[in-house]
C-alpha cells in the first residue's frame, strides 16, 4: 500500500511540475534551441552555450537530456536564474517517441541535428528509425524557426525536405551553407579549421585534441552566427571553451602520463575516431585502453577488429571489462606485453601505475558503465571507489564521490543532505550556518 501511495504522490508531483514547466515556457521571451543527434550533441550544447553567453544571458542544459530534466529546466532552473535571452537544451533519444514530447514542450525556435548513427540498437534496430526520432525536433519548429542540419549526413540533410521553416546546413560538402575546410589536429596540436559562409571565411582555433570535433564546432558556430553573434566574438569564445569531461578530455599529469579520456560513450562508429586521434598524435609512447563498446548490430568480432587497428597504432593495447577476452589477440602479443587483458578499472589503474612512462599518451575509450575515467583520476586524486559497475550513468566527475568507498556512498549522501538542511534552518531562524 505504501508503495502504491508513493507512486500516486510521485505521479501527481510530476503532473504539477509539468504544468508549471509549460507555464514557464509560455511566459518566457527567450530564444529556445534544441540540440539532438546520435553523437556530438553534448559538445554542441556546451559550446553554443559558451558562445552565446558572451552575447546575452544564457542557460545551457548539458548531459541531463530527458523529459524530466527539461521540466526541471523550465519550471525551476530558469526561475532561479531569472530571465535569459537563450536556452540551449540537449535532447537524447532512448527509445521510440522520446524526442517528440521534449520537442513539444520546448517549442524550439532553433533545432540542431548533428548526425544519425545506429546507437541504442536494442530500442531502434535501424538508422531509419533513429532518423524519424531525431526529425521530431525539426518538425516542432514554427514557420519562423531555423533548422541547422549536417549536410554530410544524408539522413540529416533529408530532414530539410518538407520543413516548414528556414534551413541552413554545415559540413565539408561543397553545398553546405557553412562549409568546413582546413581541418587539422595532431595532438598536442589542437584542432584548427576554417568555416566559409556568406560573411566570408572564419578561421578557428579550438581546444579539442581530435579532428572529428570539427562537426560539433561547426554546428555551434553556424547557429551562433545565424543568431547574430559577431564572428570575432564567436572565434574568441571557441578558443576559450573548456571541453566536456570524458569526451576526449585531456589530462596531463605531473611527471606521469598524458591521458585522453573518452569514457562517456562508445558506439561502434566512434571507435575509429578515437583510434584516429591516437594515430595522428605525437608521443614517445602510446597505449590504448578499450573497455565496453555500446550495443550494436553484428557479432562480438568487432572487439577483434578494433584490436587489429589499435595494435598498429599503440605500443600496448589493454582490454578491460566483460568482453576483454574477445580481442582475438595472439599468444605472441600476450607474451610480449603488446596486449594485456584486465577485467576491472582498478586492475587497469594498478597496471598503468606500475608501468607508466613520463609523457606517454594513454587513450581511455569505453562506454560509461565501466567508469574508466577513474584510471586518469587516480593520478590527481585519492580514488577509493573501485566497484567494477556501479549502475550510475553519470561520470565520476559529475558524481563526485570517487574519493569515497562505494559502500559508504549512501551514508555520505545522507549526511551531506542533513548538513544542507541544517544550514537552511539556521539561515531561516537567523543563525549562522557552520
Amino acid at each position: 500500500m505504501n508503495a502504491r501511495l508513493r507512486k500516486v504522490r510521485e505521479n501527481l508531483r510530476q503532473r504539477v511540475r509539468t504544468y508549471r514547466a509549460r507555464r514557464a515556457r509560455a511566459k518566457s521571451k527567450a530564444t529556445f534551441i534544441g540540440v539532438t543527434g546520435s553523437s556530438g550533441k553534448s559538445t554542441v550544447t556546451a559550446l553554443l552555450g559558451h558562445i552565446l553567453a558572451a552575447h546575452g544571458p544564457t542557460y545551457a542544459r548539458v548531459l541531463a537530456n530527458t523529459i524530466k530534466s527539461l521540466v526541471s529546466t523550465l519550471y525551476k532552473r530558469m526561475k532561479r536564474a531569472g530571465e535569459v535571452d537563450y536556452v540551449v537544451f540537449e535532447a537524447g533519444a532512448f527509445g521510440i517517441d522520446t524526442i517528440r514530447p521534449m520537442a513539444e514542450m520546448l517549442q524550439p525556435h532553433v533545432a540542431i541535428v548533428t548526425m544519425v548513427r545506429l546507437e541504442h540498437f536494442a530500442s531502434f534496430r535501424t538508422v531509419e528509425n533513429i532518423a524519424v526520432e531525431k526529425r521530431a525536433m525539426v518538425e516542432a519548429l514554427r514557420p519562423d524557426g531555423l533548422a541547422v542540419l549536417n549536410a554530410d549526413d544524408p539522413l540529416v540533410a533529408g530532414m530539410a525536405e518538407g520543413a516548414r521553416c528556414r534551413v541552413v546546413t554545415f559540413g565539408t560538402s561543397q553545398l553546405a551553407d557553412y562549409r568546413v575546410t582546413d581541418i587539422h589536429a595532431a595532438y598536442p596540436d589542437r584542432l584548427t579549421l576554417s568555416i566559409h559562409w556568406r560573411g566570408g571565411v572564419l578561421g578557428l582555433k579550438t581546444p579539442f585534441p581530435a579532428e572529428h570535433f570539427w562537426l560539433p564546432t561547426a554546428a555551434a558556430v553556424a547557429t551562433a552566427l545565424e543568431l547574430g553573434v559577431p564572428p570575432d566574438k564567436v572565434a574568441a569564445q571557441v578558443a576559450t571553451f573548456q571541453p566536456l569531461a570524458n569526451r576526449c578530455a585531456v589530462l596531463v599529469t605531473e611527471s606521469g602520463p598524458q591521458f585522453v579520456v573518452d569514457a562517456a560513450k562508445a558506439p561502434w562508429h566512434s571507435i575509429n575516431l578515437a583510434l584516429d586521434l591516437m594515430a595522428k598524435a605525437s608521443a614517445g609512447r602510446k597505449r590504448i585502453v578499450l573497455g565496453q563498446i555500446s550495443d550494436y548490430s553484428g557479432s562480438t568480432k568487432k572487439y577483434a577488429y578494433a584490436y587489429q587497428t589499435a595494435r598498429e597504432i599503440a605500443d600496448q593495447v589493454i582490454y578491460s571489462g566483460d568482453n576483454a577476452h574477445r580481442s582475438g589477440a595472439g599468444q605472441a602479443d600476450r607474451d610480449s606485453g603488446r596486449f594485456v587483458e584486465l577485467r576491472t578499472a582498478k586492475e587497469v589503474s594498478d597496471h598503468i601505475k606500475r608501468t607508466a612512462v613520463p609523457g606517454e599518451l594513454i587513450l581511455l575509450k569505453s562506454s560509461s558503465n565501466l567508469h574508466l575515467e577513474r584510471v586518469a583520476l587516480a593520478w590527481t586524486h585519492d580514488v577509493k571507489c573501485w566497484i567494477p559497475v556501479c549502475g550510475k550513468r553519470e561520470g565520476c566527475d559529475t558524481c563526485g564521490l570517487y574519493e569515497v568507498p562505494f559502500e559508504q556512498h549512501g551514508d555520505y549522501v545522507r549526511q551531506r543532505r542533513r548538513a544542507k538542511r541544517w544550514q537552511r534552518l539556521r539561515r531561516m531562524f537567523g543563525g549562522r550556518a557552520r
Side-chain angles (χ1 to χ4, degrees):
M1 185 65 178
N2 289 337
R4 291 177 62 184
L5 284 175
R6 283 196 298 269
K7 187 175 181 180
V8 170
R9 282 198 299 267
E10 181 55 34
N11 288 339
L12 180 59
R13 191 177 295 118
Q14 187 60 27
R15 288 185 181 183
V16 172
R17 289 170 179 165
T18 301
Y19 171 76
R20 293 173 63 185
R22 293 188 186 280
R23 281 179 57 87
R25 172 63 187 92
K27 292 179 179 179
S28 178
K29 297 179 181 179
T31 296
F32 285 79
I33 304 163
V35 185
T36 192
S38 298
S39 288
K41 57 184 176 291
S42 297
T43 298
V44 172
T45 302
L47 178 55
L48 180 57
H50 181 68
I51 296 171
L52 292 175
H55 192 60
T58 301
Y59 181 80
R61 185 70 162 175
V62 185
L63 300 178
N65 51 21
T66 64
I67 186 67
K68 284 188 177 181
S69 175
L70 178 57
V71 168
S72 173
T73 296
L74 292 174
Y75 97 90
K76 185 166 62 176
R77 300 288 182 179
M78 286 181 60
K79 182 178 180 180
R80 288 181 181 176
E83 189 60 53
V84 295
D85 292 340
Y86 303 99
V87 176
V88 191
F89 181 80
E90 169 193 350
F94 305 100
I96 300 297
D97 203 31
T98 51
I99 294 287
R100 182 187 55 78
M102 287 187 277
E104 290 178 351
M105 180 172 288
L106 187 65
Q107 300 176 47
H109 299 91
V110 181
I112 305 169
V113 186
T114 59
M115 66 175 72
V116 172
R117 297 290 186 275
L118 190 53
E119 295 187 30
H120 303 293
F121 175 73
S123 298
F124 290 106
R125 297 293 173 179
T126 69
V127 290
E128 288 77 17
N129 287 338
I130 296 175
V132 170
E133 189 67 26
K134 303 297 184 184
R135 189 184 187 114
M137 188 63 72
V138 177
E139 292 175 340
L141 291 168
R142 292 173 288 196
D144 59 347
L146 171 67
V148 182
L149 306 177
N150 181 358
D152 295 352
D153 187 323
L155 289 172
V156 177
M159 296 178 189
E161 297 179 9
R164 302 178 300 163
C165 60
R166 188 166 65 91
V167 175
V168 298
T169 58
F170 64 91
T172 59
S173 168
Q174 291 285 341
L175 300 178
D177 298 307
Y178 289 83
R179 184 167 60 89
V180 182
T181 63
D182 306 319
I183 301 169
H184 173 74
Y187 184 82
D189 294 342
R190 304 306 175 99
L191 171 66
T192 58
L193 65 151
S194 299
I195 295 184
H196 303 251
W197 64 302
R198 62 181 182 275
V201 181
L202 183 61
L204 297 170
K205 295 181 179 180
T206 84
F208 300 117
E211 290 186 350
H212 63 271
F213 280 94
W214 73 262
L215 193 153
T217 301
V221 168
T223 305
L225 291 172
E226 287 294 318
L227 291 174
V229 184
D232 57 342
K233 187 178 289 187
V234 170
Q237 290 298 100
V238 169
T240 59
F241 177 67
Q242 182 66 40
L244 294 174
N246 298 340
R247 285 166 168 77
C248 285
V250 175
L251 173 64
V252 179
T253 65
E254 185 176 353
S255 302
Q258 305 172 78
F259 290 95
V260 176
V261 185
D262 195 12
K265 57 190 295 187
W268 175 245
H269 72 85
S270 74
I271 302 299
N272 281 332
L273 296 177
L275 297 181
D276 182 64
L277 180 162
M278 292 296 287
K280 292 177 179 177
S282 298
R285 186 187 190 201
K286 300 178 184 179
R287 289 200 273 183
I288 295 172
V289 181
L290 181 65
Q292 185 76 27
I293 300 175
S294 304
D295 62 320
Y296 54 83
S297 61
S299 72
T300 52
K301 289 182 179 179
K302 289 186 176 179
Y303 285 91
Y305 300 153
Y307 176 66
Q308 291 304 314
T309 302
R311 75 181 299 278
E312 299 301 319
I313 297 170
D315 299 283
Q316 185 178 76
V317 180
I318 303 168
Y319 268 33
S320 180
D322 292 340
N323 289 291
H325 63 288
R326 302 185 188 279
S327 67
Q331 193 60 45
D333 281 1
R334 294 172 181 270
D335 292 342
S336 68
R338 186 74 175 271
F339 174 78
V340 177
E341 180 181 325
L342 301 168
R343 288 292 170 176
T344 68
K346 182 65 166 67
E347 292 174 346
V348 174
S349 178
D350 291 344
H351 173 73
I352 289 178
K353 281 287 185 73
R354 289 193 305 267
T355 60
V357 173
E360 70 173 317
L361 186 62
I362 302 175
L363 169 69
L364 304 174
K365 178 65 178 178
S366 175
S367 60
S368 62
N369 63 325
L370 296 186
H371 294 291
L372 284 185
E373 64 268 21
R374 291 177 290 180
V375 176
L377 284 170
W379 284 81
T380 56
H381 297 80
D382 183 17
V383 176
K384 294 178 181 177
C385 179
W386 288 108
I387 188 169
V389 178
C390 68
K392 294 182 180 180
R393 293 183 56 205
E394 61 184 346
C396 293
D397 304 78
T398 304
C399 170
L401 299 179
Y402 48 83
E403 293 185 310
V404 180
F406 181 76
E407 59 274 13
Q408 297 177 20
H409 282 194
D411 290 339
Y412 183 89
V413 171
R414 282 190 288 272
Q415 290 174 9
R416 191 167 59 183
R417 286 175 179 169
R418 282 197 294 266
K420 289 182 178 179
R421 291 192 192 106
W422 177 242
Q423 287 179 339
R424 286 197 295 268
L425 284 171
R426 288 181 66 86
R427 284 195 296 267
M428 286 173 61
F429 291 100
R432 293 184 178 180
R434 295 178 180 177

mmCIF file of all heavy atoms in Angstrom, residues 33-69:
data_model
loop_
_atom_site.group_PDB
_atom_site.id
_atom_site.type_symbol
_atom_site.label_atom_id
_atom_site.label_comp_id
_atom_site.label_asym_id
_atom_site.label_seq_id
_atom_site.Cartn_x
_atom_site.Cartn_y
_atom_site.Cartn_z
ATOM 1 N N ILE A 33 16.623 26.722 -28.041
ATOM 2 C CA ILE A 33 17.400 25.971 -29.030
ATOM 3 C C ILE A 33 17.448 24.516 -28.597
ATOM 4 O O ILE A 33 17.924 24.196 -27.504
ATOM 5 C CB ILE A 33 18.832 26.529 -29.147
ATOM 6 C CG1 ILE A 33 18.783 28.023 -29.484
ATOM 7 C CG2 ILE A 33 19.635 25.761 -30.185
ATOM 8 C CD1 ILE A 33 20.087 28.753 -29.224
ATOM 9 N N GLY A 34 16.961 23.619 -29.439
ATOM 10 C CA GLY A 34 17.002 22.187 -29.160
ATOM 11 C C GLY A 34 18.095 21.523 -29.963
ATOM 12 O O GLY A 34 18.207 21.734 -31.177
ATOM 13 N N VAL A 35 18.912 20.723 -29.303
ATOM 14 C CA VAL A 35 20.035 20.043 -29.951
ATOM 15 C C VAL A 35 19.842 18.543 -29.818
ATOM 16 O O VAL A 35 19.647 18.029 -28.713
ATOM 17 C CB VAL A 35 21.382 20.439 -29.308
ATOM 18 C CG1 VAL A 35 22.539 19.812 -30.076
ATOM 19 C CG2 VAL A 35 21.530 21.950 -29.238
ATOM 20 N N THR A 36 19.907 17.827 -30.935
ATOM 21 C CA THR A 36 19.809 16.380 -30.893
ATOM 22 C C THR A 36 20.732 15.778 -31.940
ATOM 23 O O THR A 36 21.316 16.484 -32.759
ATOM 24 C CB THR A 36 18.351 15.915 -31.084
ATOM 25 O OG1 THR A 36 18.245 14.531 -30.763
ATOM 26 C CG2 THR A 36 17.863 16.144 -32.507
ATOM 27 N N GLY A 37 20.841 14.454 -31.915
ATOM 28 C CA GLY A 37 21.746 13.747 -32.807
ATOM 29 C C GLY A 37 22.343 12.558 -32.092
ATOM 30 O O GLY A 37 22.356 12.487 -30.855
ATOM 31 N N SER A 38 22.853 11.603 -32.848
ATOM 32 C CA SER A 38 23.393 10.387 -32.244
ATOM 33 C C SER A 38 24.667 10.646 -31.457
ATOM 34 O O SER A 38 24.927 9.990 -30.456
ATOM 35 C CB SER A 38 23.642 9.333 -33.322
ATOM 36 O OG SER A 38 22.443 8.972 -33.964
ATOM 37 N N SER A 39 25.480 11.574 -31.920
ATOM 38 C CA SER A 39 26.719 11.935 -31.222
ATOM 39 C C SER A 39 26.981 13.419 -31.438
ATOM 40 O O SER A 39 26.506 14.006 -32.405
ATOM 41 C CB SER A 39 27.909 11.117 -31.738
ATOM 42 O OG SER A 39 27.849 9.779 -31.308
ATOM 43 N N GLY A 40 27.751 13.992 -30.522
ATOM 44 C CA GLY A 40 28.163 15.384 -30.664
ATOM 45 C C GLY A 40 27.232 16.398 -30.037
ATOM 46 O O GLY A 40 27.594 17.566 -29.892
ATOM 47 N N LYS A 41 26.027 15.970 -29.617
ATOM 48 C CA LYS A 41 25.045 16.953 -29.139
ATOM 49 C C LYS A 41 25.452 17.610 -27.831
ATOM 50 O O LYS A 41 25.176 18.789 -27.604
ATOM 51 C CB LYS A 41 23.655 16.333 -29.020
ATOM 52 C CG LYS A 41 23.543 15.117 -28.128
ATOM 53 C CD LYS A 41 22.138 14.547 -28.190
ATOM 54 C CE LYS A 41 22.051 13.257 -27.377
ATOM 55 N NZ LYS A 41 22.815 12.157 -28.001
ATOM 56 N N SER A 42 26.122 16.856 -26.951
ATOM 57 C CA SER A 42 26.547 17.444 -25.672
ATOM 58 C C SER A 42 27.576 18.544 -25.898
ATOM 59 O O SER A 42 27.497 19.623 -25.296
ATOM 60 C CB SER A 42 27.127 16.367 -24.755
ATOM 61 O OG SER A 42 26.161 15.401 -24.437
ATOM 62 N N THR A 43 28.541 18.273 -26.772
ATOM 63 C CA THR A 43 29.570 19.272 -27.058
ATOM 64 C C THR A 43 28.965 20.475 -27.765
ATOM 65 O O THR A 43 29.320 21.623 -27.472
ATOM 66 C CB THR A 43 30.698 18.656 -27.903
ATOM 67 O OG1 THR A 43 31.305 17.593 -27.151
ATOM 68 C CG2 THR A 43 31.753 19.692 -28.246
ATOM 69 N N VAL A 44 28.037 20.247 -28.696
ATOM 70 C CA VAL A 44 27.359 21.363 -29.362
ATOM 71 C C VAL A 44 26.631 22.227 -28.334
ATOM 72 O O VAL A 44 26.746 23.465 -28.348
ATOM 73 C CB VAL A 44 26.358 20.860 -30.419
ATOM 74 C CG1 VAL A 44 25.521 22.020 -30.959
ATOM 75 C CG2 VAL A 44 27.080 20.179 -31.573
ATOM 76 N N THR A 45 25.892 21.591 -27.446
ATOM 77 C CA THR A 45 25.117 22.332 -26.443
ATOM 78 C C THR A 45 26.021 23.167 -25.549
ATOM 79 O O THR A 45 25.771 24.353 -25.314
ATOM 80 C CB THR A 45 24.295 21.353 -25.585
ATOM 81 O OG1 THR A 45 23.443 20.583 -26.439
ATOM 82 C CG2 THR A 45 23.450 22.098 -24.567
ATOM 83 N N ALA A 46 27.093 22.547 -25.048
ATOM 84 C CA ALA A 46 28.006 23.259 -24.152
ATOM 85 C C ALA A 46 28.744 24.376 -24.882
ATOM 86 O O ALA A 46 28.878 25.493 -24.363
ATOM 87 C CB ALA A 46 29.000 22.284 -23.542
ATOM 88 N N LEU A 47 29.234 24.091 -26.091
ATOM 89 C CA LEU A 47 29.989 25.100 -26.842
ATOM 90 C C LEU A 47 29.084 26.248 -27.271
ATOM 91 O O LEU A 47 29.462 27.427 -27.146
ATOM 92 C CB LEU A 47 30.650 24.458 -28.059
ATOM 93 C CG LEU A 47 31.442 25.396 -28.984
ATOM 94 C CD1 LEU A 47 32.499 26.181 -28.218
ATOM 95 C CD2 LEU A 47 32.073 24.607 -30.134
ATOM 96 N N LEU A 48 27.888 25.941 -27.757
ATOM 97 C CA LEU A 48 26.962 27.001 -28.159
ATOM 98 C C LEU A 48 26.565 27.848 -26.959
ATOM 99 O O LEU A 48 26.486 29.085 -27.053
ATOM 100 C CB LEU A 48 25.726 26.399 -28.817
ATOM 101 C CG LEU A 48 24.660 27.384 -29.294
ATOM 102 C CD1 LEU A 48 25.244 28.398 -30.280
ATOM 103 C CD2 LEU A 48 23.489 26.643 -29.931
ATOM 104 N N GLY A 49 26.333 27.198 -25.829
ATOM 105 C CA GLY A 49 26.023 27.956 -24.618
ATOM 106 C C GLY A 49 27.155 28.885 -24.231
ATOM 107 O O GLY A 49 26.928 30.030 -23.813
ATOM 108 N N HIS A 50 28.389 28.413 -24.385
ATOM 109 C CA HIS A 50 29.567 29.230 -24.065
ATOM 110 C C HIS A 50 29.673 30.426 -25.010
ATOM 111 O O HIS A 50 29.991 31.539 -24.582
ATOM 112 C CB HIS A 50 30.818 28.352 -24.171
ATOM 113 C CG HIS A 50 32.092 29.062 -23.834
ATOM 114 N ND1 HIS A 50 32.394 29.498 -22.558
ATOM 115 C CD2 HIS A 50 33.155 29.416 -24.609
ATOM 116 C CE1 HIS A 50 33.581 30.079 -22.556
ATOM 117 N NE2 HIS A 50 34.056 30.050 -23.783
ATOM 118 N N ILE A 51 29.403 30.203 -26.288
ATOM 119 C CA ILE A 51 29.469 31.295 -27.259
ATOM 120 C C ILE A 51 28.371 32.326 -26.986
ATOM 121 O O ILE A 51 28.618 33.537 -26.931
ATOM 122 C CB ILE A 51 29.347 30.751 -28.699
ATOM 123 C CG1 ILE A 51 30.542 29.850 -29.037
ATOM 124 C CG2 ILE A 51 29.265 31.903 -29.708
ATOM 125 C CD1 ILE A 51 30.386 29.107 -30.354
ATOM 126 N N LEU A 52 27.143 31.853 -26.811
ATOM 127 C CA LEU A 52 26.009 32.763 -26.621
ATOM 128 C C LEU A 52 26.108 33.537 -25.311
ATOM 129 O O LEU A 52 25.589 34.656 -25.206
ATOM 130 C CB LEU A 52 24.704 31.974 -26.653
ATOM 131 C CG LEU A 52 24.312 31.366 -28.007
ATOM 132 C CD1 LEU A 52 23.061 30.516 -27.871
ATOM 133 C CD2 LEU A 52 24.115 32.451 -29.065
ATOM 134 N N ALA A 53 26.779 32.954 -24.311
ATOM 135 C CA ALA A 53 26.908 33.631 -23.016
ATOM 136 C C ALA A 53 27.663 34.949 -23.137
ATOM 137 O O ALA A 53 27.477 35.853 -22.313
ATOM 138 C CB ALA A 53 27.613 32.717 -22.017
ATOM 139 N N ALA A 54 28.503 35.065 -24.166
ATOM 140 C CA ALA A 54 29.223 36.320 -24.395
ATOM 141 C C ALA A 54 28.357 37.337 -25.132
ATOM 142 O O ALA A 54 28.743 38.505 -25.275
ATOM 143 C CB ALA A 54 30.500 36.052 -25.196
ATOM 144 N N HIS A 55 27.186 36.905 -25.586
ATOM 145 C CA HIS A 55 26.293 37.751 -26.377
ATOM 146 C C HIS A 55 25.050 38.158 -25.601
ATOM 147 O O HIS A 55 24.432 39.190 -25.890
ATOM 148 C CB HIS A 55 25.903 36.998 -27.648
ATOM 149 C CG HIS A 55 25.235 37.840 -28.688
ATOM 150 N ND1 HIS A 55 25.830 38.943 -29.266
ATOM 151 C CD2 HIS A 55 24.009 37.738 -29.252
ATOM 152 C CE1 HIS A 55 25.014 39.477 -30.146
ATOM 153 N NE2 HIS A 55 23.893 38.774 -30.158
ATOM 154 N N GLY A 56 24.683 37.343 -24.604
ATOM 155 C CA GLY A 56 23.499 37.625 -23.797
ATOM 156 C C GLY A 56 23.325 36.559 -22.746
ATOM 157 O O GLY A 56 23.922 35.479 -22.828
ATOM 158 N N PRO A 57 22.503 36.812 -21.707
ATOM 159 C CA PRO A 57 22.275 35.820 -20.653
ATOM 160 C C PRO A 57 21.788 34.492 -21.243
ATOM 161 O O PRO A 57 20.828 34.463 -22.020
ATOM 162 C CB PRO A 57 21.207 36.466 -19.778
ATOM 163 C CG PRO A 57 21.351 37.933 -20.033
ATOM 164 C CD PRO A 57 21.756 38.067 -21.471
ATOM 165 N N THR A 58 22.472 33.419 -20.877
ATOM 166 C CA THR A 58 22.221 32.113 -21.498
ATOM 167 C C THR A 58 22.140 31.022 -20.441
ATOM 168 O O THR A 58 22.895 31.032 -19.467
ATOM 169 C CB THR A 58 23.342 31.767 -22.496
ATOM 170 O OG1 THR A 58 23.412 32.784 -23.502
ATOM 171 C CG2 THR A 58 23.092 30.413 -23.160
ATOM 172 N N TYR A 59 21.212 30.084 -20.634
ATOM 173 C CA TYR A 59 21.174 28.885 -19.807
ATOM 174 C C TYR A 59 21.287 27.677 -20.717
ATOM 175 O O TYR A 59 20.461 27.482 -21.615
ATOM 176 C CB TYR A 59 19.884 28.797 -18.985
ATOM 177 C CG TYR A 59 19.858 27.571 -18.109
ATOM 178 C CD1 TYR A 59 20.553 27.555 -16.903
ATOM 179 C CD2 TYR A 59 19.188 26.417 -18.493
ATOM 180 C CE1 TYR A 59 20.569 26.433 -16.101
ATOM 181 C CE2 TYR A 59 19.192 25.289 -17.700
ATOM 182 C CZ TYR A 59 19.894 25.302 -16.507
ATOM 183 O OH TYR A 59 19.914 24.172 -15.716
ATOM 184 N N ALA A 60 22.336 26.860 -20.520
ATOM 185 C CA ALA A 60 22.546 25.655 -21.317
ATOM 186 C C ALA A 60 22.422 24.430 -20.431
ATOM 187 O O ALA A 60 23.095 24.331 -19.402
ATOM 188 C CB ALA A 60 23.922 25.697 -21.978
ATOM 189 N N ARG A 61 21.552 23.519 -20.826
ATOM 190 C CA ARG A 61 21.340 22.281 -20.064
ATOM 191 C C ARG A 61 22.062 21.161 -20.807
ATOM 192 O O ARG A 61 21.632 20.711 -21.865
ATOM 193 C CB ARG A 61 19.850 21.989 -19.973
ATOM 194 C CG ARG A 61 19.497 20.791 -19.103
ATOM 195 C CD ARG A 61 19.735 21.065 -17.637
ATOM 196 N NE ARG A 61 19.023 20.097 -16.803
ATOM 197 C CZ ARG A 61 19.136 20.037 -15.492
ATOM 198 N NH1 ARG A 61 19.918 20.901 -14.850
ATOM 199 N NH2 ARG A 61 18.458 19.144 -14.800
ATOM 200 N N VAL A 62 23.179 20.717 -20.235
ATOM 201 C CA VAL A 62 24.045 19.740 -20.899
ATOM 202 C C VAL A 62 23.981 18.409 -20.166
ATOM 203 O O VAL A 62 23.902 18.369 -18.929
ATOM 204 C CB VAL A 62 25.502 20.245 -20.937
ATOM 205 C CG1 VAL A 62 26.386 19.293 -21.730
ATOM 206 C CG2 VAL A 62 25.564 21.643 -21.530
ATOM 207 N N LEU A 63 24.016 17.307 -20.937
ATOM 208 C CA LEU A 63 24.100 15.931 -20.440
ATOM 209 C C LEU A 63 22.789 15.437 -19.847
ATOM 210 O O LEU A 63 22.382 14.304 -20.111
ATOM 211 C CB LEU A 63 25.240 15.784 -19.419
ATOM 212 C CG LEU A 63 26.634 16.118 -19.937
ATOM 213 C CD1 LEU A 63 27.674 15.981 -18.820
ATOM 214 C CD2 LEU A 63 27.013 15.246 -21.118
ATOM 215 N N ALA A 64 22.107 16.205 -19.025
ATOM 216 C CA ALA A 64 20.807 15.791 -18.491
ATOM 217 C C ALA A 64 19.769 16.035 -19.576
ATOM 218 O O ALA A 64 19.208 17.125 -19.697
ATOM 219 C CB ALA A 64 20.483 16.579 -17.229
ATOM 220 N N ASN A 65 19.514 15.013 -20.408
ATOM 221 C CA ASN A 65 18.782 15.234 -21.661
ATOM 222 C C ASN A 65 17.472 14.463 -21.758
ATOM 223 O O ASN A 65 17.090 13.980 -22.816
ATOM 224 C CB ASN A 65 19.675 14.870 -22.850
ATOM 225 C CG ASN A 65 20.296 13.478 -22.723
ATOM 226 O OD1 ASN A 65 19.795 12.636 -21.986
ATOM 227 N ND2 ASN A 65 21.380 13.240 -23.449
ATOM 228 N N THR A 66 16.754 14.364 -20.637
ATOM 229 C CA THR A 66 15.483 13.648 -20.608
ATOM 230 C C THR A 66 14.325 14.625 -20.407
ATOM 231 O O THR A 66 14.528 15.807 -20.136
ATOM 232 C CB THR A 66 15.475 12.626 -19.467
ATOM 233 O OG1 THR A 66 15.555 13.324 -18.220
ATOM 234 C CG2 THR A 66 16.655 11.665 -19.581
ATOM 235 N N ILE A 67 13.109 14.116 -20.500
ATOM 236 C CA ILE A 67 11.930 14.956 -20.314
ATOM 237 C C ILE A 67 11.870 15.491 -18.885
ATOM 238 O O ILE A 67 11.493 16.640 -18.653
ATOM 239 C CB ILE A 67 10.636 14.170 -20.662
ATOM 240 C CG1 ILE A 67 9.412 15.096 -20.620
ATOM 241 C CG2 ILE A 67 10.467 12.973 -19.768
ATOM 242 C CD1 ILE A 67 9.387 16.154 -21.673
ATOM 243 N N LYS A 68 12.290 14.702 -17.899
ATOM 244 C CA LYS A 68 12.299 15.193 -16.516
ATOM 245 C C LYS A 68 13.278 16.343 -16.354
ATOM 246 O O LYS A 68 13.011 17.313 -15.641
ATOM 247 C CB LYS A 68 12.664 14.054 -15.556
ATOM 248 C CG LYS A 68 11.536 13.061 -15.317
ATOM 249 C CD LYS A 68 11.893 12.078 -14.208
ATOM 250 C CE LYS A 68 10.727 11.138 -13.912
ATOM 251 N NZ LYS A 68 11.064 10.197 -12.812
ATOM 252 N N SER A 69 14.403 16.250 -17.028
ATOM 253 C CA SER A 69 15.384 17.326 -16.970
ATOM 254 C C SER A 69 14.843 18.589 -17.617
ATOM 255 O O SER A 69 15.067 19.701 -17.129
ATOM 256 C CB SER A 69 16.676 16.894 -17.659
ATOM 257 O OG SER A 69 17.604 17.954 -17.714
#
